[in-house]
Amino acid sequence: MSVAANRAGMRLRDRASIGAIAIKQRVRVSLFVLLTLIVAMLAIGLLASYNLYRSAEDHYVRVVLPLRTTSRDVLFQMEREETGVRGYIITGNRKSLDPYRAGRQGVVADLRKIASLARTNPELNDRLREVRRDVIALHGFYDRLIVFVVDGKAGRERAIAELPSGEALAVRFRHTAVLLQGDTKRIVDRTRHDQRATLQRTLASLSIAGALALAVAIALIVYLPERLRRLYASEEEARRRAEQGANAAQALAHVSDAVFLVDDAGVIRFWNAAGGQLFGISAREAVGRPATAVVPEYAGLVEAARRGDRFAAVRIGGDERWLAPMISTFDGGTVLTVRDATAG
């Protein structure tokens, strides 16, 4: 019986160990999948941030760069107009007005483009109105000079005489155009700075969040499976002990000898069916009560068992009985086994 019980216990422990290892492996696989997902999400977040940055760069290329180029081109086109007008005054050849006409069309187109690109920027719109005002003033001045030249020699002389008076208009325009370029440059610098700052903040946030998530996942992979394995093994061990206790109690219930367990305080903790038949007290009535209150002869039976007496005479329900007591002591109490030997 002892060998069989040991083998059964070993089989139970082996099954518990195998189950704990399986739980540990499943948890580790699950956490590895979680770690993979975290890494994938972090990579997707970084890629999305880079794509947003590239999108902002595309916006920069489509809007900010053309804005800067066009603001420079306004000054160039106005210089073409001035060159064409001066050439016409000197030569009187209408072919000389071709740069003027081309420059005028270019200025109009540039101002229209700047207005479209800068419609969401109030500061730039204010500067654009100043540039338009100066351009209109110069166009009026150039048109008057052209009309003078058309009138003939006297008109050309008058146009030459009035050329210096237009220098103030040209200086004011160039000053305003330079301010427009400065405003555009500030927008360019601010836009690029904001893009880089946004990208850096996003990458930093993702990196911190990803590092924390990875640290948590790695910690879970390292510690959680072993912790769960121990909990599972402990639970299996407790269940095995409970099963063994239940099996032992069931076996003792069918033993013909009276068996009851008494703790160090002298209180009955277990009472089998044979004890109930022998002493006429059920387990429900006996368990939890002092042993001397349930069995008045308890002390005498214990003393006889310790002396090694084979039999002890007691009275149960008015009848004399000869009982064979045996006692076993363990840490926490004693187990008293009593066999009715009266018939023998």
Side-chain angles (χ1 to χ4, degrees), residues 20-203:
I21 293 173
I23 287 291
K24 179 178 179 180
Q25 291 176 345
R26 286 198 294 270
V27 171
R28 182 161 288 169
V29 170
S30 300
L31 291 175
F32 180 77
V33 173
L34 175 62
L35 178 62
T36 303
L37 291 176
I38 291 175
V39 172
M41 291 177 64
L42 181 60
I44 292 172
L46 294 174
L47 181 60
S49 300
Y50 179 74
N51 288 335
L52 288 175
Y53 175 74
R54 293 305 305 171
S55 177
E57 283 289 300
D58 293 341
H59 172 75
Y60 170 80
V61 172
R62 292 195 310 269
V63 177
V64 180
L65 281 182
L67 186 61
R68 182 170 62 180
T69 303
T70 306
S71 64
R72 291 175 179 175
D73 191 63
V74 170
L75 188 59
F76 170 71
Q77 297 298 342
M78 288 301 296
E79 289 176 352
R80 290 181 67 189
E81 288 189 44
E82 182 181 1
T83 301
V85 171
R86 287 180 178 275
Y88 179 58
I89 293 173
I90 294 171
T91 63
N93 186 354
R94 297 190 67 85
K95 191 70 175 174
S96 301
L97 288 175
D98 288 347
Y100 168 75
R101 296 189 185 97
R104 187 158 184 164
Q105 292 176 357
V107 167
V108 172
D110 288 342
L111 293 178
R112 188 181 298 115
K113 187 174 183 179
I114 293 174
S116 174
L117 295 173
R119 60 181 178 271
T120 59
N121 192 301
E123 179 185 358
L124 204 58
N125 280 322
D126 293 340
R127 189 72 68 191
L128 183 59
R129 281 193 290 271
E130 295 178 9
V131 172
R132 276 205 181 100
R133 179 199 62 199
D134 295 341
V135 168
I136 291 173
L138 277 174
H139 282 170
F141 176 71
Y142 292 152
D143 289 344
R144 188 166 70 254
L145 293 181
I146 292 171
V147 171
F148 288 159
V149 175
V150 172
D151 288 342
K153 183 178 179 181
R156 183 186 304 172
E157 291 175 355
R158 184 177 177 182
I160 294 173
E162 289 196 12
L163 267 177
S165 63
E167 186 63 27
L169 294 175
V171 169
R172 188 173 68 180
F173 163 75
R174 283 192 288 270
H175 176 70
T176 308
V178 170
L179 292 178
L180 178 65
Q181 292 179 16
D183 294 340
T184 305
K185 183 179 183 302
R186 281 194 296 275
I187 292 175
V188 170
D189 295 340
R190 186 167 59 245
T191 300
R192 302 206 73 173
H193 178 269
D194 291 344
Q195 289 174 3
R196 291 194 183 96
T198 300
L199 177 65
Q200 290 171 358
R201 285 194 299 269
T202 304
L203 293 179

Side-chain angles (χ1 to χ4, degrees), residues 9 21 39 155 163 215 253 272 281 310 321 336:
I21 293 173
V39 172
L163 267 177
N272 70 343
I281 299 174
R310 294 185 59 190
R321 297 288 187 92
L336 182 64

